[in-house]
Amino acid sequence: MAYELHYWPGIQGRGEFVRLALEAAGAPYIDVARGPEAAGQGTPALLRCLADSHLSHPPFAPPFIKDGNAVIGQTAAILQYLAPTLKLVARSEQLRTWTLQVQLTIADIVTEAHDSHHPLGMDLFYEDQKPEALRRAQAFCRARMPKYLQWLEHIVQRNPAGSRHLVGGKLSYADLSLFQLIEGLRYTFPQAAGRALSQTPLLLQLHARVAALPKVAAYLRSERRLPFNEQGIFRHYPELDLA
Amino acid sequence: MAYELHYWPGIQGRGEFVRLALEAAGAPYIDVARGPEAAGQGTPALLRCLADSHLSHPPFAPPFIKDGNAVIGQTAAILQYLAPTLKLVARSEQLRTWTLQVQLTIADIVTEAHDSHHPLGMDLFYEDQKPEALRRAQAFCRARMPKYLQWLEHIVQRNPAGSRHLVGGKLSYADLSLFQLIEGLRYTFPQAAGRALSQTPLLLQLHARVAALPKVAAYLRSERRLPFNEQGIFRHYPELDLA
């Protein structure tokens, strides 16, 4: 049975980390909120699920997936749940935990990238917090982003199974999330990310290898891959791109 | 062998979620950075670990634990790792995932509580971002905090195993984290949290039950429990407590 992925239509957002895992594994899934309302899909279907008072494990927010009767929310928990079936995580419990740890750290930088354009919160438009965003983006571009990327570079470098992956000797969902992180940072801060990534050659090689995986490459060329835009987590406001 | 907990001394911070799990389970542990430097402990020991280039699984930031040769960072990953041994999670894989999902959502509100006093980032003092903090705290107190607490209340309410716990029929690390969340919110926003919590009677009962667990109660009375202060995640700035 196909998985149901529930995420806001129109943006990549955090749903993209789940979508990439499903796509890279060739797993059948329905992208519910992007489907036709006439077929019981679309955003109303997502909202119905969120409001369903019969769920004993209700998600707080999208993304969430339905796998038969199981409903799972929180990006890192979804990936942790899916990965053994999708063969996107090592079998050892120790490496599963390490993969989760890497994913949670990627999630932290994603949150900070988001907050760089919305430091005062999502109840205000970007246009209503531009000076504050500039101050926060400065710290992100000059300190936080390089620090996170250096940490990821070190992990690849120190991987006992070789520097082709973040964890172990095979593709994991952490590699896919790293790919998406780099895509997002390059879109958001072309100059600042370019400078930081020039110091992380192994990450760039890993990013290129993930992009060239046949299933990932086919997905990226398809209409299922939404373009970045200024409604998502990664937004390009040139004035925030501090070289 | 005792676990080593590595976290900044002087604040509860995110380390407290790990400390509570270890204390509630009665597990032996060394709170490394709070130990004497003469015994190879103290902050220098924590910093040595963070900078250790031989670790193949280096943590990005505290808290992290050492369990023999294993080093694990990221609060939710640490708890996920420790919980089966500490008997603080159900055995079923489905409930383990659900516990992780609840923990990650608690981590999200903790991050938002933190950002309410530091919306522009940690490279600036609170005093340098007071007007911005006021705007962010307003959204947190009036919308975000009540929304998260209502979600948690619904989970307890809908728990098929009864409304004495967040997950299943036994104490889990999620219950301990909920206890700490409520402690922190009450300290930070006595008025706003009081108002929000008046709508979540089941959470208040669960909080009281956790506080009364003999091992937790003994810990809270001990010197091992640090008081809240204005260097941690939960800080009391009366001007931000918007009733």
Side-chain angles (χ1 to χ4, degrees):
Chain A
M1 198 162 73
Y3 294 106
E4 285 185 19
L5 168 64
H6 290 253
Y7 195 64
W8 305 118
I11 60 168
Q12 291 185 13
R14 290 189 170 83
E16 193 65 13
F17 296 96
V18 182
R19 212 177 268 124
L20 270 170
L22 293 165
E23 291 279 355
Y29 73 101
I30 299 163
D31 205 337
V32 175
R34 291 170 69 191
E37 290 189 29
Q41 300 177 24
T43 306
L46 180 157
L47 295 174
R48 263 197 311 278
C49 248
L50 267 185
D52 183 351
S53 61
H54 298 292
L55 291 179
S56 54
H57 297 177
F60 180 74
F64 56 93
I65 56 156
K66 286 180 90 165
D67 177 16
N69 286 326
V71 180
I72 299 113
Q74 282 283 357
T75 310
I78 298 170
L79 292 169
Q80 163 95 353
Y81 170 85
L82 290 174
T85 310
L86 303 186
K87 301 198 188 315
L88 286 175
V89 74
R91 278 193 203 155
S92 93
E93 193 63 21
Q94 204 196 355
L95 288 184
R96 274 192 83 188
T97 303
W98 174 230
T99 314
L100 175 64
Q101 182 180 339
V102 173
Q103 178 67 35
L104 289 172
T105 310
I106 291 176
D108 283 345
I109 176 172
V110 168
T111 296
E112 292 191 32
H114 171 270
D115 290 351
S116 70
H117 56 73
H118 269 76
L120 300 189
M122 287 304 288
D123 54 322
L124 295 170
F125 292 112
Y126 166 65
E127 287 67 26
D128 297 326
Q129 48 189 303
K130 281 177 83 165
E132 293 82 5
L134 195 62
R135 285 170 74 186
R136 177 101 191 212
Q138 198 163 332
F140 183 79
C141 288
R142 299 200 177 140
R144 301 297 292 170
M145 173 166 60
K147 185 177 174 185
Y148 276 110
L149 292 174
Q150 280 302 319
W151 180 77
L152 290 162
E153 178 81 0
H154 288 151
I155 285 175
V156 176
Q157 213 166 42
R158 296 183 201 175
N159 183 352
S163 59
R164 290 179 61 84
H165 300 96
L166 276 164
V167 179
K170 281 174 49 187
L171 183 76
S172 76
Y173 66 82
D175 296 321
L176 299 169
S177 296
L178 173 73
F179 164 81
Q180 176 65 6
L181 172 67
I182 291 180
E183 289 285 294
L185 291 176
R186 278 179 165 167
Y187 174 78
T188 310
F189 305 110
Q191 292 190 73
R195 199 183 54 240
L197 289 164
S198 71
Q199 306 300 311
T200 59
L202 296 173
L203 295 189
L204 290 178
Q205 289 165 33
L206 177 48
H207 172 271
R209 274 196 303 276
V210 170
L213 293 168
K215 287 198 176 74
V216 172
Y219 164 62
L220 295 175
R221 281 193 309 270
S222 77
E223 291 197 346
R224 299 190 302 284
R225 171 77 165 184
L226 291 160
F228 285 109
N229 60 36
E230 278 53 71
Q231 279 85 52
I233 293 177
F234 293 113
R235 306 186 186 188
H236 180 53
Y237 298 121
E239 61 274 22
L240 300 184
D241 183 15
L242 301 162
Chain B
M1 200 163 71
Y3 294 106
E4 286 185 18
L5 167 65
H6 290 254
Y7 195 65
W8 305 118
I11 60 169
Q12 291 185 13
R14 289 187 171 84
E16 193 65 13
F17 295 97
V18 182
R19 212 178 268 125
L20 270 170
L22 293 166
E23 292 280 354
Y29 73 102
I30 300 163
D31 205 337
V32 176
R34 290 171 68 192
E37 290 189 27
Q41 300 179 23
T43 307
L46 180 157
L47 295 174
R48 263 197 312 279
C49 247
L50 266 185
D52 183 351
S53 61
H54 298 292
L55 291 179
S56 55
H57 298 177
F60 180 74
F64 57 93
I65 56 154
K66 285 179 93 167
D67 177 16
N69 286 325
V71 180
I72 298 113
Q74 282 283 358
T75 309
I78 299 171
L79 292 169
Q80 163 95 353
Y81 170 84
L82 290 175
T85 310
L86 303 186
K87 303 202 187 310
L88 286 174
V89 74
R91 278 194 202 154
S92 94
E93 193 63 20
Q94 204 197 352
L95 287 185
R96 274 192 82 188
T97 303
W98 173 231
T99 314
L100 175 64
Q101 182 180 339
V102 173
Q103 178 66 34
L104 289 172
T105 309
I106 291 175
D108 283 346
I109 176 172
V110 168
T111 295
E112 292 190 32
H114 171 270
D115 290 352
S116 70
H117 56 74
H118 269 76
L120 300 189
M122 286 304 288
D123 55 322
L124 296 170
F125 291 112
Y126 166 65
E127 287 68 26
D128 296 326
Q129 48 189 305
K130 283 177 81 165
E132 294 83 5
L134 195 62
R135 285 170 74 187
R136 177 99 190 214
Q138 198 163 333
F140 184 79
C141 289
R142 299 201 176 138
R144 301 297 291 170
M145 173 167 59
K147 185 177 174 188
Y148 276 110
L149 292 174
Q150 280 303 319
W151 180 77
L152 290 162
E153 177 82 358
H154 287 151
I155 285 174
V156 176
Q157 211 165 42
R158 295 184 202 175
N159 182 353
S163 60
R164 290 178 61 84
H165 300 96
L166 275 164
V167 179
K170 280 174 48 187
L171 183 76
S172 75
Y173 65 82
D175 296 320
L176 299 169
S177 295
L178 173 75
F179 164 81
Q180 176 65 7
L181 172 68
I182 291 179
E183 289 285 294
L185 292 175
R186 278 178 165 168
Y187 174 77
T188 309
F189 305 110
Q191 293 189 71
R195 200 182 54 239
L197 288 164
S198 71
Q199 306 300 311
T200 59
L202 296 173
L203 295 189
L204 290 178
Q205 288 167 32
L206 177 48
H207 171 272
R209 273 196 303 277
V210 170
L213 294 168
K215 288 198 175 75
V216 172
Y219 165 61
L220 295 174
R221 281 193 309 269
S222 77
E223 291 197 346
R224 299 191 302 284
R225 171 76 165 186
L226 292 160
F228 285 108
N229 61 36
E230 278 54 71
Q231 279 85 51
I233 293 177
F234 293 113
R235 306 185 186 188
H236 179 53
Y237 298 120
E239 61 275 21
L240 300 184
D241 183 16
L242 301 162

